[in-house]
Amino acid sequence: MLIHEKTPFVSVLRSLTPLPEDEETKVINLFQTQVLQRKEFFIRAGDIPQTIGFILSGILRLYYVDDNGNEFTKSFCTENDFVGSYSALLLTQPSRLFIEALEDSKLLVANYSAYRSLSEAHPCWQTVNCKIAEALFVKKEKRESSLLLDDAKTRYLSFLAEYPGLDARLKQHYIASYLGITPVSLSRIRAQLKSH
């Protein structure tokens, strides 16, 4: 694989902490390209995940399905995001999440246990992992508080701020599912905002 294709990945890692050149080479060699077609899954609920990914292009949706077949969108991951079913990876348990490509997507993917071995060998990776975990924690806490405390319009405005440009790339029912409202309610909110 061409090294320059991995440049965004290396840039993100360097933004988290200085990387020794040999560690950079090791991580570049660890992550390989994977292409997902639209509607293809990175992980399905029930599978025990083995890999983590970094998105070079495309959109992935993380969602749950209840016993009645209702879908609940947890989050979206786009360019320069890390993606995985983290609790299932950490606990070596079946994922409760589906992670599906909403567009043709290109990822860099690594075996998680191989990445863990790399992480344990040099302290720079502890900093990287800590900062990624902190960012995920902040995202999760903001999302939970928004669902509990904000009205639908405020949640939509927060979505626009958190995922700039994604509104135009997503079908309305996916956004509505993320906001915990119906597509009809979302249409109403959009109409209200346009009229102001």
Side-chain angles (χ1 to χ4, degrees), residues 15-16 62 87 94 168 191:
S15 74
L16 300 172
L62 288 69
S87 60

Side-chain angles (χ1 to χ4, degrees), residues 84-123:
S85 184
Y86 294 108
S87 60
L89 275 169
L90 292 168
L91 301 169
T92 324
Q93 290 179 349
S95 176
R96 299 186 75 183
L97 270 176
F98 289 90
I99 303 179
E100 177 189 25
L102 297 183
E103 295 177 346
D104 291 350
S105 302
K106 185 183 280 188
L107 288 79
L108 294 175
V109 176
N111 177 278
Y112 183 65
S113 57
Y115 177 74
R116 282 291 288 268
S117 298
L118 173 75
S119 296
E120 287 158 12
H122 195 284

Side-chain angles (χ1 to χ4, degrees), residues 31-186:
F31 280 79
Q32 302 303 318
T33 309
Q34 181 180 344
V35 173
L36 292 176
Q37 304 301 321
R38 191 174 76 84
K39 294 285 186 192
E40 210 175 326
F41 287 91
F42 182 64
I43 184 87
R44 290 174 185 271
D47 294 347
I48 297 177
Q50 309 287 334
T51 57
I52 53 168
F54 176 87
I55 302 173
L56 293 170
S57 64
I59 306 170
L60 273 64
R61 179 172 75 117
L62 288 69
Y63 67 97
Y64 300 102
V65 179
D66 70 12
D67 292 339
N68 299 317
N70 301 308
E71 294 182 2
F72 300 92
T73 301
K74 176 185 182 284
S75 63
F76 302 101
C77 289
T78 57
E79 289 82 4
N80 297 335
D81 282 338
F82 287 92
V83 65
S85 184
Y86 294 108
S87 60
L89 275 169
L90 292 168
L91 301 169
T92 324
Q93 290 179 349
S95 176
R96 299 186 75 183
L97 270 176
F98 289 90
I99 303 179
E100 177 189 25
L102 297 183
E103 295 177 346
D104 291 350
S105 302
K106 185 183 280 188
L107 288 79
L108 294 175
V109 176
N111 177 278
Y112 183 65
S113 57
Y115 177 74
R116 282 291 288 268
S117 298
L118 173 75
S119 296
E120 287 158 12
H122 195 284
C124 72
W125 299 115
Q126 278 127 49
T127 305
V128 166
N129 294 339
C130 183
K131 289 192 175 175
I132 292 169
E134 284 171 354
L136 287 168
F137 179 80
V138 168
K139 185 177 181 179
K140 177 181 164 60
E141 192 175 87
K142 277 184 173 176
R143 168 98 171 113
E144 286 172 356
S145 64
S146 181
L147 282 170
L148 292 168
L149 302 172
D150 296 339
D151 62 27
K153 182 178 171 185
T154 305
R155 290 202 299 275
Y156 179 59
L157 292 170
S158 297
F159 162 78
L160 294 177
E162 186 176 349
Y163 298 105
L166 208 56
D167 198 36
R169 293 168 67 185
L170 290 174
K171 290 185 176 170
Q172 186 157 302
H173 68 274
Y174 291 137
I175 300 171
S177 167
Y178 174 77
L179 299 173
I181 59 176
T182 65
V184 174
S185 298
L186 178 56

